[in-house]
Each structure stands twice: as C-alpha cells, then as structure tokens.
Amino acid sequence: MNAADSIRDFDVHWQDNLSDYVTAICWSNDGNLLAACSAAGEVLLWQDMEAQSFLLRSHGNTSADCIGFSCDEQFLAAGGQDGVLRIWSSKSLKLVAELENPRRWIDQLAWHPTCNQVAFSLGKKVQIWDAESRETIAELNFENSSIFGIVWHPEGKHLATSGSKGVKIWNARRWEEVPRRLEIPSASAAIAGLLMVRELLLLILMITLPLLN
C-alpha cells in the first residue's frame, strides 16, 4: 500500500462563516462546544449536541482576539481590542458579565483548570476574576512589557505569564508573594505549554530573538 492509498478523506461535520478572518478558536473540555471569534469582533458558539450555532456577538468596530471556556463549560469568555472582557453563560447563551477596561487591549486569557476563575491581560498586568463571586481576586504586574502569554498550572497551583526578557510564575494560593522569575536576556517569550512533573515546573517557550543587521 502506498502513501496515497492510506490517505483518508474527512467529511465536513459543520461549517459557518464570519464577516472577517478568525482570530481565535477553542473547544470546551467535553468537546461538545466550539467557539470562535473574529477580527470584526464577532463571537460564535457551536453546540454539537444540538448541531446548531449561535452568534453571541455581532460584528463591530474592534476585533475580538482571545476566547476560552471555563473548566466546567459553564462560561465562555472573550476579550479584544475594545478592552472589554465579556462572559456568557454557555447554557442560557446570555451575557452575564462585561468587565470594562478603557484604553486597554485584551489579547490573552486563560481559565483556571479546576474553578471558574479567569486570568486575562491588561497591558503589563494580569487580572484574575472570579465568575462565581463576580469579584476581582488579584492583579499582577509583569512590569517589563505587555503580556505575551498566560498559562495555569494543571492543578491551578501556579500562574505563569511571559513577556519581554522572561517569564514570571506566581503562587496562586498566595498572590501577594513575590513571583519567581525566569530571565531570558535579549529575547521575548510566549508560553506554549506548562507541565508539572514531581513538583517540577516545565515551561515550553517560543522564543523571539532580535534580528541582526
């Protein structure tokens, strides 16, 4: 059997169109929900069980740049160029919260892996918001630059953020503690992954080096 014979054709299960290019896409943990957002600010939710899609937010004047489901699929959050973090109920499809941050650009967000807390970027800072209590529980300052990446520890013990010249890792049980720093001189880092092996933090980084003339 040659390689051509082993190639399988994939059937289109579902498709939809947005008015501009897709900026982010994500699945829920159980695989029954799919969400996407666009450069026109649209937010689309598809439900596999009912085989239908819902436009949660229509197009506007600014982009939506990040999107994600909470660990229990109860909430969907999206942020973008207008500085507003919007959170919908995945069941009722109603907008349950709008966190306004004027003159900020939200392009990174990450839900806690075991509870309904979401971390999102605000320039050089990261804010953690609790969807159950509807309260901000922490605001963390990266200081060196804007936030390039946010990742939770798989058990929620730590929160890692990356930016210019390194990574900072906060203790999620004691936000007030000074974060651990991983310095990467003359480079920028985006977090591609965070693993925990026998209490050892393993960061997988994508490094951007300056161009040499």
Side-chain angles (χ1 to χ4, degrees):
M1 180 182 292
N2 57 39
D5 294 331
S6 63
I7 296 176
R8 291 185 58 189
D9 291 330
F10 290 93
D11 296 327
V12 176
H13 187 58
W14 167 82
Q15 67 179 14
D16 207 332
N17 294 312
L18 297 172
S19 65
D20 210 329
Y21 65 88
V22 174
T23 53
I25 190 168
C26 69
W27 286 98
S28 61
N29 288 334
D30 62 7
N32 290 325
L33 300 172
L34 175 69
C37 56
S38 78
E42 297 153 303
V43 176
L44 182 74
L45 175 68
W46 177 67
Q47 295 179 336
D48 185 34
M49 299 294 290
E50 299 180 12
Q52 57 182 326
S53 60
F54 304 90
L55 190 63
L56 301 182
R57 184 171 184 256
S58 59
H59 65 85
N61 298 321
T62 57
S63 64
D65 300 295
C66 53
I67 197 166
F69 289 99
S70 59
C71 63
D72 60 0
E73 294 89 29
Q74 184 178 350
F75 300 105
L76 172 68
Q81 190 177 3
D82 64 359
V84 180
L85 184 74
R86 296 176 174 88
I87 299 179
W88 290 267
S89 165
S90 300
K91 295 181 180 180
S92 69
L93 306 182
K94 292 182 179 179
L95 186 66
V96 297
E98 286 185 294
L99 309 181
E100 298 183 2
N101 302 277
R103 297 182 297 278
R104 301 290 183 90
W105 191 323
I106 302 173
D107 59 0
Q108 301 289 334
L109 71 80
W111 283 94
H112 191 289
T114 62
C115 67
N116 289 328
Q117 295 177 359
V118 60
F120 59 97
S121 62
L122 290 175
K124 296 181 179 181
K125 296 182 178 181
V126 173
Q127 188 174 113
I128 295 96
W129 191 77
D130 192 303
E132 300 290 349
S133 65
R134 309 293 176 92
E135 293 179 345
T136 298
I137 61 173
E139 188 169 271
L140 314 173
N141 193 352
F142 189 79
E143 298 179 323
N144 290 348
S145 73
S146 297
I147 304 297
F148 297 164
I150 304 172
V151 177
W152 289 93
H153 178 277
E155 297 176 4
K157 296 178 179 179
H158 305 277
L159 180 72
T161 63
S162 67
S164 177
K165 299 184 179 179
V167 175
K168 285 187 177 181
I169 303 170
W170 275 270
N171 184 342
R173 295 172 180 172
R174 292 183 290 274
W175 294 114
E176 69 280 1
E177 287 187 357
V178 176
R180 295 168 57 187
R181 299 188 182 202
L182 302 178
E183 300 292 340
I184 308 175
S186 302
S188 298
I191 301 175
L194 176 63
L195 303 175
M196 185 73 165
V197 180
R198 295 182 181 177
E199 299 303 315
L200 175 66
L201 285 172
L202 301 178
L203 284 168
I204 303 169
L205 304 176
M206 295 182 290
I207 307 298
T208 303
L209 297 173
L211 295 176
L212 299 177
N213 294 324

